[in-house]
Amino acid sequence: MRTPTCARAALLLGCLTGATMIVSTAPAQARTVEFPQVPTMFRDGLCGGTVRVWADTDPLWAGRAIINVRATPIVGYGPGEYSFAPLCENVTTVAWRNTNTGAAGEYRVTVVAGIYGSIQYAQYLDTGPGHIVVTSSTDMASIPQRGEFDVPA
């Protein structure tokens, strides 16, 4: 036997209302902190651009943070058939230090970028809870940038 259409609609509407209430009352505790972009050169051609670095934290990841790195679209000239649309790279380093505990480390990644930028690179780090200070730089000519964020306990 089939459920009447109005009963199915009422059931669906009730479920959607309940889900909306649950989602809307959930506290938004995750936090994203973006640091100043690193102006830099890239190798495998004469390329330049910037690298974005940011951190994501959440109380659910007590003592941990995700460090994200992504290049913005680059400009330059490189070898190959498409000289004005080169793929270039650099090694980006995000050095971090927890000022509360003294713990320190770094996230180092080879960033490959082109006229559309790069993919997002990310790493989950055990920084420990506290105030974290980061320095972002590359292995090519660049202007290192500093930033800071807090990791919940």
Side-chain angles (χ1 to χ4, degrees):
M1 181 172 164
R2 293 184 51 146
T3 308
T5 304
C6 62
R8 283 186 287 183
L11 181 63
L12 178 62
L13 183 60
C15 290
L16 289 175
T17 302
T20 302
M21 288 173 49
I22 290 170
V23 170
S24 65
T25 59
Q29 298 176 0
R31 185 161 180 226
T32 298
V33 178
E34 183 143 359
F35 311 125
Q37 294 184 13
V38 180
T40 184
M41 298 299 291
F42 291 79
R43 74 175 59 77
D44 296 336
L46 181 59
C47 305
T50 60
V51 175
R52 291 180 54 215
V53 179
W54 68 96
D56 294 320
T57 61
D58 192 304
L60 297 175
W61 321 322
R64 297 182 179 146
I66 297 174
I67 299 293
N68 303 278
V69 174
R70 185 177 190 281
T72 60
I74 63 169
V75 295
Y77 183 81
E81 187 176 350
Y82 303 103
S83 297
F84 290 103
L87 279 177
C88 298
E89 68 178 37
N90 69 29
V91 176
T92 299
T93 302
V94 181
W96 61 270
R97 185 175 52 84
N98 187 323
T99 60
N100 294 51
T101 65
E106 66 181 26
Y107 171 41
R108 187 176 294 221
V109 62
T110 300
V111 176
V112 179
I115 61 172
Y116 298 111
S118 74
I119 63 171
Q120 179 176 330
Y121 302 88
Q123 186 167 10
Y124 196 53
L125 300 173
D126 290 322
T127 60
H131 188 72
I132 311 297
V133 176
V134 298
T135 302
S136 307
S137 62
T138 71
D139 66 335
M140 299 295 290
S142 67
I143 302 172
Q145 301 292 326
R146 292 191 49 154
E148 44 191 68
F149 66 99
D150 293 311
V151 175

